Amino acid sequence: MADLLIKAEGETDPDYGTFPDERPIEDHIKRGIVNLDKPSGPTSHEIDSWVKRILGVEKTGHGGTLDPKVTGVLPIGIDYATRAIQMLLGADKEYVCLMHMHEEISETEIREILKEFQGKIFQTPPLKSAVKREMRVRNIYYVNILEIDGQDVLFKIGCEGGTYIRKYCHDVGEALGIGAHMAELRRTKSGPFTEDETLTTLQDLTDAYHIWKEEGDESFIRDCILPMELAVKHLPKIIIRDSAVDAVCHGADLAAGGIISLDDKIKENDTVAIMTLKGELVAAGESLKTSKEIYKANKGIVIDIKKVFMEPGTYPKMWK
């Protein structure tokens, strides 16, 4: 867990911006993310369009595609949050998978091969994939076997974003010399989004929306839709002064003088989230220095801004 390095003192003006949990309901929705429990059958894009229709919003977008038959955690960004949801694409994932072996094999051999298929592995994306088919390295953090029943193996796997579990099962089968395939798959985690109390079904979302519209009770829709800031919870943070916010919103890179505090574990080239003192997401960028170097710097550009999420004018212009 990163600690916070306090670089300067600073206060935030209550007349500008809003604490994420205190946004008016319409704004909460437009800057929100649904931690959706995807059912088996529809594509991720179909789920997007259904959420868009349920809420009557302009845009929706998901963070990490799931195949039609795969279920589980599918974060959906709404309107302004559709760009923020892209920050989840490289985030760590967790799945529960049912793998079917094509021939009988001992439990010992299964357990041994799954131990070997941890750490860094090589994968070539499958034919039906949205990325270029070239060999790449992916990290497998853990594989916990939950149950072995004959030729069926149920396991939980934690992995780097961009790992193909269908290909993982195929490669395990090839290594054993008997063949194997992914029979069922459920995603249980995508970055900070998990199968906790915030997981929402399409029916939950529909009901919550109608209760708000028809009865004026917004508590349920607030439970179903989370602030977009959660999409960068897994990233190191830099907190900036109110006076620096609008310049960053206009695309300026972040200088050392605009920083109030920062996580102490930032490395050079890390992707970092730029936040206001109220906890609002302003932008994301690439760190040009380490935490220690940023902390000591009095001037100069320290973050190369790559994506801006806050609209210019949210905070007053204090730059020339």
Side-chain angles (χ1 to χ4, degrees), residues 228-229 240 244-246 248-249 273-277 279-284 305 307-311 315:
M228 69 179 188
E229 283 72 17
I240 62 174
V245 174
D246 197 58
V248 173
C249 289
I274 311 302
M275 317 293 290
T276 69
L277 281 159
E280 302 152 291
L281 175 61
V282 181
I305 298 298
K307 289 178 183 289
V308 176
F309 306 112
M310 182 178 280
E311 304 80 58
Y315 279 73

Side-chain angles (χ1 to χ4, degrees), residues 25-32 57-58 78-81 228:
I25 188 61
E26 288 85 357
D27 203 33
H28 178 77
I29 292 171
K30 288 182 178 180
R31 297 173 200 280
V57 294
E58 290 184 14
I78 305 162
D79 284 349
Y80 294 113
M228 69 179 188

Side-chain angles (χ1 to χ4, degrees), residues 100-127:
H100 181 73
M101 301 295 185
H102 295 171
E103 294 177 24
E104 299 239 349
I105 194 165
S106 72
E107 279 198 24
T108 302
E109 288 176 281
I110 293 170
R111 292 182 184 278
E112 285 300 317
I113 198 68
L114 288 179
K115 278 182 187 174
E116 288 183 28
F117 272 72
Q118 294 185 55
K120 291 189 186 309
I121 66 165
F122 292 96
Q123 269 201 339
T124 303
L127 280 171

Side-chain angles (χ1 to χ4, degrees), residues 238 253-254 259 272 274 285-288 294 301-305:
I238 289 183
D253 290 328
L254 181 62
I259 297 173
V272 297
I274 311 302
E286 184 180 306
S287 182
L288 303 177
I294 295 171
I301 300 300
V302 294
I303 304 295
D304 179 8
I305 298 298

Side-chain angles (χ1 to χ4, degrees), residues 2 52 54 83 102 109 117 145 163 205 240 261 281:
K52 180 179 172 183
I54 289 167
R83 296 191 74 234
H102 295 171
E109 288 176 281
F117 272 72
I145 295 174
T163 305
L205 189 65
I240 62 174
S261 61
L281 175 61

